[in-house]
Amino acid sequence: FRVYTNTIMIAKKAVVAGATGSVGRLIVKTCVEDPRIEKVTAVVRRTVSSDKAEELWGTSDNSKLAQLVVDYPSLTVDDTKLKEGFQGCDAFLTALGVYSGNTTRAQMEEAEVKYNSIL
């Protein structure tokens, strides 16, 4: 995963969905390591412990990294917690999906289409 920096704007606050998955964790780690990004919010299904955050993202530093815990099945576009988590966001990156080996097509569509659309 590589961040291309020859763009016009660098995000000051990035929100990353699917932050604990194989791709999402790399996005979060890259954003956390970039000194130009001031705040990274990882959208997660359940709170990630400090030890696990260190393993996944290389840090558990709450001054730069925040976790936004969401209950996807009850998620709506009007969700107050979601709006607060995205407030001031310059960039939203999503790696939200499911492992296709142990899910039905309906479950895949729910996660990869419905939830991403709401976010």
Side-chain angles (χ1 to χ4, degrees):
F1 181 74
R2 178 174 278 174
V3 175
Y4 293 93
T5 58
N6 58 349
T7 56
I8 295 171
M9 182 184 98
I10 298 295
K12 296 290 185 186
K13 179 181 178 187
V15 176
V16 182
T20 60
S22 58
V23 174
R25 72 178 65 182
L26 295 175
I27 295 171
V28 172
K29 189 173 189 318
T30 300
C31 290
V32 166
E33 290 172 350
D34 192 321
R36 297 166 299 179
I37 299 174
E38 296 170 0
K39 189 76 173 176
V40 181
T41 300
V43 181
V44 295
R45 289 178 287 164
R46 58 185 93 48
T47 301
V48 175
S49 70
S50 293
D51 289 343
K52 190 67 174 177
E54 289 282 347
E55 177 188 326
L56 290 172
W57 307 314
T59 187
S60 59
D61 178 8
N62 291 337
S63 66
K64 184 160 186 175
L65 178 65
Q67 296 182 44
L68 174 60
V69 179
V70 298
D71 177 30
Y72 285 106
S74 65
L75 194 62
T76 67
V77 293
D78 296 322
D79 189 293
T80 303
K81 189 165 83 170
L82 191 63
K83 286 181 180 181
E84 289 171 1
F86 275 75
Q87 189 171 11
C89 170
D90 298 307
F92 171 60
L93 304 112
T94 182
L96 183 62
V98 293
Y99 174 66
S100 60
N102 44 329
T103 58
T104 66
R105 182 168 177 82
Q107 290 170 320
M108 286 177 65
E109 288 179 4
E110 183 175 48
E112 296 177 359
V113 177
K114 179 184 175 186
Y115 301 151
N116 277 308
S117 297
I118 291 171
L119 292 171

